[in-house]
């Protein structure tokens, strides 16, 4: 950072914006290209198969650089998000022809695996769920895990609460594209599940019941959550509140279509563990399931995206 004073105005602008999104790949619009720099460029070149070069940016050392034409954005966004990366799209907010000096730029879109809203990034016949996972040590004398699942494209929000085994079953069946959880629970979660979930850790203070309840009441414009039947599900309520916080943190302002909660009752269904599901070949065994033949694939003769999701 000591060399920042030697940067060109463009790189100073890039550095200032990147500091606001340190854990995302920043696609920085420069003329007719989206450019990535430094570690972002190394990752982008690896995932996208584009050329990694070096460019002297005005500092004492060269900086890694990788870019692609702006009209190819949707294609490359799809690859980055599917690979499990958070992506911040930084556009030019002024017409370069009308501005003298550096063009004003800002992040216009923030995408994560669980919050991809672009039609070209979604599979139309299946949900793209973002999940929140929160273990509450003692609920009425027993350890419970709260889960919330949100499809940001449709507004569906599902809540569940139960044992850790029940939580594992739900995750294995619903296959969320991204799971958010408290920072102090990441290690235990990964040791328990043993699966390559894409996770994102949030500060523990976000997972507070009072804060979560406040977030949900504001979203649904109610004075309590009794009408949704979740007043006795504190862990699930906390998970749902964390999802709403995450939406605002990632600058998704249009949330009016998220207007209700749906309970997933453990006793209302026959639940199978992930090993049974895999051995019976009922569904794809992973989040992608590419090249596999399974029962759902054989049965799915639906003609519309809505029909495919319903099935």
């Amino acid at each position: 950072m000591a060399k920042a004073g030697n940067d060109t105005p463009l790189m100073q602008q890039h550095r200032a914006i990147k500091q606001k999104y340190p854990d995302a790949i920043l696609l920085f619009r420069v003329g007719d290209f989206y450019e990535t720099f430094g570690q972002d460029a190394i990752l982008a070149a690896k995932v996208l198969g584009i050329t990694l070069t070096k460019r002297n940016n005005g500092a004492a050392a060269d900086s890694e650089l990788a870019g692609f034409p702006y009209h190819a954005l949707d294609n490359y966004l799809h690859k980055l998000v599917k690979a499990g990366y958070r992506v911040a799209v930084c556009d030019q907010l002024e017409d370069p022809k009308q501005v003298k000096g550096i063009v004003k730029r800002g992040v216009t879109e923030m995408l994560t695996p669980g919050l991809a809203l672009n039609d070209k990034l979604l599979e139309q016949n299946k949900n793209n769920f973002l999940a929140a996972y929160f273990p509450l040590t003692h609920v009425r004398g027993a350890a419970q895990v709260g889960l919330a699942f949100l499809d940001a494209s449709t507004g569906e929000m599902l809540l569940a609460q139960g044992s850790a085994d029940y939580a594992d079953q739900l995750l294995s069946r619903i296959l969320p594209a991204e799971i958010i959880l408290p920072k102090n629970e990441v290690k235990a979660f990964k040791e328990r599940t043993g699966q390559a979930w894409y996770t994102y850790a949030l500060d523990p203070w976000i997972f507070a019941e009072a804060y979560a309840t406040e977030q949900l009441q504001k979203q649904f414009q109610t004075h309590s959550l009794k009408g949704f039947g979740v007043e006795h599900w504190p862990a699930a309520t906390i998970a749902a509140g964390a999802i709403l916080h995450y939406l605002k943190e990632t600058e998704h302002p249009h949330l009016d279509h998220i207007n209700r909660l749906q309970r997933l009752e453990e006793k209302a269904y026959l639940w199978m563990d992930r090993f049974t599901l895999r051995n019976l070949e009922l569904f794809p065994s992973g989040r992608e399931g590419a090249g596999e033949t399974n029962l759902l694939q054989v049965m799915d003769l639906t003609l519309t995206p809505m029909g495919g999701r319903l099935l």
Side-chain angles (χ1 to χ4, degrees), residues 9 14-15 36 70 73-74 81 93 108 112 124-125 147 168 176 201 205 207 217 219 229 290 301:
H14 175 273
R15 176 179 269 97
T36 56
Y70 76 95
L73 176 63
D74 287 341
V81 173
L93 304 180
T108 57
T112 76
Q124 296 300 310
N125 65 342
L147 287 170
D168 288 349
W205 68 264
F207 296 83
Q217 288 175 352
Q219 176 65 31
L301 302 178

Side-chain angles (χ1 to χ4, degrees), residues 61-131:
D62 290 342
S63 173
E64 291 85 357
L65 168 69
F68 54 83
Y70 76 95
H71 57 75
L73 176 63
D74 287 341
N75 182 45
Y76 286 122
L77 263 183
H78 176 84
K79 292 180 179 179
L80 288 170
V81 173
K82 285 295 183 182
Y85 290 99
R86 297 160 59 84
V87 183
V89 181
C90 181
D91 284 310
Q92 296 174 163
L93 304 180
E94 299 174 314
D95 185 349
K97 297 178 181 178
Q98 306 295 325
V99 179
K100 292 183 179 180
I102 194 74
V103 176
K104 183 179 179 181
R105 292 178 173 85
V107 171
T108 57
E109 192 172 12
M110 179 73 181
L111 296 100
T112 76
L115 291 178
L117 299 179
N118 190 313
D119 287 344
K120 294 181 180 180
L121 302 181
L122 298 172
E123 294 183 45
Q124 296 300 310
N125 65 342
K126 62 185 293 188
N127 289 98
N128 188 69
F129 279 112
L130 166 70

